[in-house]
C-alpha cells in the first residue's frame, strides 16, 4: 500500500496524485509506465523514476540464507565500544560497522555527549573519526576531559603526549547546509576508495565512524519547503540517506546522527521517511525532578539489547550508570 511502511520514500503529495489515477499499491507503482504516469500526474519523468528506484531498493533486497548472514556478520562486522558500557549493552554489544545509529532526544538529553564519547572510544582503539558539526557542538576541551577521565593517573607531559596521540584521529568538519554535507560525504567516498585522491589517505584508511551532530538541523529547513511536482527537499533527504547507507555498507563505516523530538517527546523529528533510514534508534530523555538524570531506550534495532533501558548521569569524567534512585543521590 502506498503511504505505508513498504514505500516510505514516496512523498505524501505524490501518493495523493498517484491515487487519483488509481495507482494505490507498491506493485502498481513498480509495474507502471513511468513516462506515461509522470505526464498524467504532472511531475518530471526523472523524478518519478528516482522514486520508483528507491521503492524497489527498499522492498527487494538481495536474498541470503541464514548461514551466509552469520558468516558475513562474524567476518565483516566490527563492533566498537561507545565509551559507555551501559550504552553498549543497550546497543546489543556496541557500535556495529555498516550501520546507521540515530540518537533522538530533546535539549540536554546527552546526544552530543554520546557522540563525543564514541569518537574518543574509536580513537583510543586506533581508528579515525569524522565529526560533522552542524550546530557548533564539537568541543576539543570536552574530549580532553573525557580522556582525562579514562586515564586519571596521567598528568603533565604524559597526559600531553596522550592528547597529541589521540585527538588527531578525530577531525571536525563544520557545515550549515546540506550541500556542504554532501561534499564532505563525497570527499569521504573518494578517500576511502581503493585509489585515494590525496596524501591524506592514511587518516581515511582507518576511518571507522562518521558523526553528524545534528542531522535534523540541516534537513528540517529543507523538507518543509516541498511543493507538489517539486519535491526538492524530500528528494535531497532521500539522496542523502541512500548515500550514507551505501558508504556504511560498502566502506564498513558506522554512522551516528542526532535528531530532535516532536509531539512532546513521543516521536522523532524529520518524519516517517527518515525514520526508515536508520538501523538503530535510541531515544534519550532528560529528567530534572526529583533527580537530574537521563534515560535511554531502544526504539528500533537489528540486535537484541542486553538491558531494557539505561539510566545515567553525565559528569566531568564521563558517564555514570545509575539504575536506582539511591545511586543518583550518591
Amino acid at each position: 500500500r502506498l503511504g505505508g511502511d513498504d514505500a516510505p520514500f514516496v512523498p505524501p503529495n505524490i501518493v495523493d496524485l498517484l491515487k487519483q489515477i488509481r495507482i494505490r499499491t507498491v506493485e502498481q507503482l513498480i509495474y507502471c509506465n513511468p513516462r506515461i504516469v509522470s505526464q498524467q500526474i504532472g511531475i518530471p519523468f526523472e523524478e518519478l523514476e528516482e522514486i520508483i528506484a528507491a521503492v524497489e531498493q527498499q522492498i527487494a533486497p538481495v536474498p541470503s540464507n541464514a548461514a551466509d548472514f552469520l558468516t558475513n556478520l562474524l567476518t565483516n562486522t566490527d563492533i566498537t565500544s561507545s565509551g559507555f558500557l551501559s550504552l553498549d549493552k543497550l546497543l546489543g554489544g556496541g557500535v556495529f560497522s555498516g550501520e546507521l545509529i540515530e540518537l533522538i532526544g530533546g535539549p540536554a538529553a546527552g546526544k552530543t555527549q554520546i557522540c563525543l564519547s564514541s569518537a574518543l572510544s574509536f580513537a583510543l582503539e586506533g581508528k579515525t573519526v569524522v565529526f560533522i558539526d552542524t550546530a557548533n557542538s564539537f568541543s576539543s576541551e570536552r574530549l580532553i576531559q573525557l580522556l582525562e577521565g579514562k586515564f586519571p593517573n596521567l598528568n603533565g607531559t604524559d597526559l600531553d603526549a596522550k592528547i597529541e596521540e589521540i585527538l588527531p584521529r578525530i577531525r571536525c568538519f563544520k557545515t550549515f547546509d546540506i550541500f556542504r554535507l554532501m561534499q564532505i560525504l563525497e570527499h569521504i567516498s573518494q578517500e576511502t576508495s581503493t585509489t585515494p585522491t590525496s596524501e591524506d589517505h592514511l587518516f581515511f584508511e582507518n576511518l571507522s565512524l562518521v558523526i553528524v551532530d545534528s542531522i535534523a538541523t540541516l534537513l528540517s529547513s529543507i523538507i518543509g519547503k516541498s511543493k507538489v511536482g517539486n519535491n526538492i527537499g524530500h528528494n535531497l533527504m532521500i539522496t542523502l540517506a541512500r548515500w550514507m547507507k551505501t558508504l556504511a555498507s560498502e566502506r564498513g563505516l558506522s554512522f551516528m546522527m542526532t535528531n530532535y523530538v516532536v509531539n512532546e517527546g513521543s516521536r522523532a523529528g524529520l518524519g516517517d521517511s527518515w525514520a526508515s533510514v536508520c538501523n538503530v534508534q535510541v531515544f534519550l530523555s532528560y529528567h530534572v525532578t526529583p533527580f537530574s538524570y537521563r534515560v535511554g531506550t531502544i526504539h528500533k534495532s537489528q540486535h537484541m539489547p542486553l538491558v531494557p533501558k539505561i539510566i545515567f548521569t553525565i559528569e566531568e569524567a564521563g558517564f555514570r550508570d545509575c539504575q536506582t534512585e539511591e545511586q543518583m543521590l550518591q
Side-chain angles (χ1 to χ4, degrees):
R1 181 180 60 86
L2 290 178
D5 293 337
D6 288 337
F9 291 161
V10 183
N13 57 316
I14 299 296
V15 171
D16 293 336
L17 291 172
L18 290 169
K19 287 181 179 179
Q20 291 176 15
I21 60 171
R22 298 185 178 181
I23 295 180
R24 297 184 175 89
T25 67
V26 172
E27 183 179 10
Q28 289 173 331
L29 175 61
I30 291 176
Y31 290 106
C32 77
N33 186 322
R35 193 170 297 279
I36 294 176
V37 171
S38 64
Q39 294 174 352
Q40 290 176 325
I41 65 176
I43 69 171
F45 167 69
E46 294 78 11
E47 181 178 344
L48 183 59
E49 266 202 325
E50 184 177 352
I51 291 173
I52 293 174
V55 173
E56 288 177 338
Q57 184 176 10
Q58 177 74 12
I59 67 171
V62 178
S64 61
N65 60 50
D68 291 340
F69 183 83
L70 178 61
T71 300
N72 179 68
L73 179 66
L74 295 176
T75 58
N76 298 325
T77 301
D78 188 27
I79 307 174
T80 307
S81 172
S82 65
F84 180 27
L85 180 58
S86 294
L87 179 59
D88 291 342
K89 292 179 180 179
L90 189 67
L91 294 174
V95 179
F96 286 71
S97 63
E99 294 189 353
L100 278 63
I101 298 176
E102 186 177 32
L103 305 174
I104 305 162
K111 303 185 298 294
T112 297
Q113 295 297 316
I114 290 175
C115 288
L116 291 170
S117 172
S118 298
L120 181 62
S121 182
F122 272 70
L124 285 169
E125 291 198 14
K127 303 171 182 178
T128 56
V129 179
V130 166
F131 194 115
I132 302 174
D133 182 9
T134 73
N136 288 319
S137 59
F138 182 80
S139 171
S140 297
E141 292 77 12
R142 180 56 178 155
L143 284 172
I144 292 174
Q145 282 184 337
L146 294 173
L147 184 63
E148 290 174 338
K150 292 186 178 297
F151 298 95
N153 296 324
L154 288 183
N155 52 61
T157 57
D158 291 336
L159 178 60
D160 291 340
K162 180 62 72 173
I163 292 172
E164 292 178 5
E165 174 193 357
I166 301 301
L167 261 61
R169 297 173 186 164
I170 304 171
R171 292 191 181 177
C172 176
F173 294 80
K174 290 188 177 292
T175 179
F176 303 101
D177 67 78
I178 190 172
F179 300 104
R180 172 59 179 154
L181 174 57
M182 288 182 171
Q183 288 177 350
I184 296 171
L185 294 179
E186 173 64 23
H187 182 62
I188 291 173
S189 178
Q190 292 175 351
E191 295 300 328
T192 54
S193 66
T194 54
T195 55
T197 58
S198 76
E199 297 179 357
D200 204 21
H201 64 276
L202 289 178
F203 175 87
F204 289 96
E205 269 186 354
N206 294 317
L207 182 62
S208 300
L209 176 64
V210 178
I211 295 170
V212 185
D213 186 22
S214 111
I215 193 68
T217 301
L218 298 183
L219 294 181
S220 60
S221 63
I222 64 169
I223 59 176
K225 298 180 180 180
S226 300
K227 298 179 180 179
V228 175
N230 186 29
N231 300 283
I232 298 176
H234 189 275
N235 288 343
L236 282 172
M237 181 179 73
I238 298 308
T239 299
L240 177 65
R242 293 175 64 182
W243 201 349
M244 295 171 97
K245 289 182 80 72
T246 299
L247 277 175
S249 175
E250 294 182 356
R251 305 292 197 270
L253 301 177
S254 303
F255 275 81
M256 182 175 288
M257 299 164 287
T258 64
N259 192 359
Y260 55 72
V261 289
V262 295
N263 294 343
E264 298 182 351
S266 62
R267 294 185 59 188
L270 302 180
D272 294 335
S273 294
W274 182 259
S276 67
V277 169
C278 297
N279 304 96
V280 179
Q281 285 185 317
V282 180
F283 269 70
L284 299 165
S285 56
Y286 178 46
H287 305 265
V288 294
T289 56
F291 312 99
S292 177
Y293 63 96
R294 279 89 173 168
V295 176
T297 56
I298 285 286
H299 280 222
K300 176 183 177 183
S301 179
Q302 297 178 332
H303 314 286
M304 179 67 71
L306 303 179
V307 292
K309 68 177 180 179
I310 57 174
I311 303 173
F312 61 98
T313 60
I314 300 175
E315 303 175 350
E316 183 174 316
F319 301 99
R320 185 165 71 95
D321 188 36
C322 301
Q323 295 297 342
T324 65
E325 293 184 356
E326 289 76 13
Q327 288 178 313
M328 295 178 203
L329 283 170
Q330 295 176 0

